[in-house]
Amino acid sequence: MKTLISALLVALCAACVHAATTAPAPSAATDALLQQAVAGSWRSDANKARDQYRHPVQTLEFFGLRSDMTVIEIGPGAGWYTEILAPVLKEHGQLITAPSKVSDKYLARLNDQVAVLGHVKAIPFSPPQQMSLGADASADMVLAQRVTHDYLIDDPKELAAMMQAAYKVLKPGGILGIEEHRALPNQDPLVSSKALHRIPEDYLIQLGLDTGFALAGVSEINANPNDDYSVNVHMLPPDLVGGDANRAAMLAVGESDRMTLKFVKPAK
């Protein structure tokens, strides 16, 4: 059913430049670098355990990552994707992370792992106070992995500002890749984001189109049919905030069902 809904959304979108539910064939060089990064000894066993749910190689290849890109990662959190992206981009590209607050602990981690990660830049990004992701048309790709709901919880204008900032910083033809916890299509996005940390897929797609992006692909790489959308995503792995009473049931579900969306800034 989820695949059908995604396909219909793409088919009905007049601004789509291309629709896909599987990743395009990656270059051999990029694929090799991604495989090496995912298998890297610098990644903890706990982080590697998330690969079965987050499919980092397939996801980044679906978005069209290349090793020579300038990539901005919005809301890197503890750096789960940073430690995969940075080694791939170290030699020929540039990774810029945009946390809501650049903490000393985060900077120390980046500095301690320069040999592996290269020189990752960190810039604060917290709409509406800090609105810029960099100079206009300076990035090839912007990634927002499981973070768009955070910008919707307090004020819908914050999520719109995030999308607009991504649009401005991207070059024509640049890519915005979004992975987000999925809510039911008929849920109020403000309610689902606050209560469940989820967003309806059609809402997020429409916001991207309203911002000026074209929808270039919809993938079910990160779908989870075991998730029934009824719980806050933090009750599921890896957080398991519900405690021991719900632990077995939440582990049986796995991580949340997620949409994976590829937007492109149209060439002028």
Side-chain angles (χ1 to χ4, degrees), residues 43-54 80 83 238 255:
R43 300 186 67 217
S44 68
D45 290 341
N47 280 357
K48 288 181 178 180
R50 309 267 61 80
D51 294 351
Q52 63 179 309
Y53 303 112
R54 299 180 180 180
W80 193 91
E83 65 183 15
E255 292 196 12

Side-chain angles (χ1 to χ4, degrees), residues 133-218:
L133 287 170
D136 289 0
S138 61
D140 300 291
M141 179 178 286
V142 174
L143 297 174
Q145 311 284 61
R146 307 179 308 280
V147 298
T148 51
H149 64 273
D150 290 330
Y151 294 100
L152 185 60
I153 288 174
D154 294 327
D155 187 344
K157 293 180 181 178
E158 291 186 10
L159 179 54
M162 188 223 86
M163 299 289 277
Q164 290 162 7
Y167 189 90
K168 288 184 66 177
V169 79
L170 283 169
K171 302 172 184 177
I175 297 162
L176 169 62
I178 294 178
E179 177 193 346
E180 183 53 78
H181 310 289
R182 189 157 32 198
L184 290 171
N186 60 350
Q187 285 188 297
D188 183 313
L190 297 183
V191 173
S192 67
S193 63
K194 287 178 182 291
L196 305 175
H197 288 213
R198 301 172 183 265
I199 300 179
E201 186 169 349
D202 53 351
Y203 176 87
L204 199 50
I205 288 176
Q206 189 60 55
L207 181 58
L209 299 177
D210 291 344
T211 304
F213 287 104
L215 182 62
V218 176

Side-chain angles (χ1 to χ4, degrees), residues 53-73:
Y53 303 112
R54 299 180 180 180
H55 311 98
V57 173
Q58 298 95 318
T59 298
L60 293 173
E61 288 180 350
F62 171 74
F63 290 146
L65 180 71
R66 299 191 319 270
S67 62
D68 62 347
M69 285 180 161
T70 295
V71 177
I72 299 173
E73 181 189 7

Side-chain angles (χ1 to χ4, degrees), residues 84-116:
I84 297 172
L85 287 163
V88 174
L89 299 168
K90 181 175 69 170
E91 297 298 330
H92 304 291
Q94 175 68 63
L95 178 61
I96 301 168
T97 63
S100 58
K101 182 180 180 181
V102 182
S103 68
D104 291 340
K105 183 178 180 180
Y106 184 76
L107 290 176
R109 182 183 181 192
L110 296 181
N111 291 333
D112 290 344
Q113 295 185 300
V114 169
V116 171

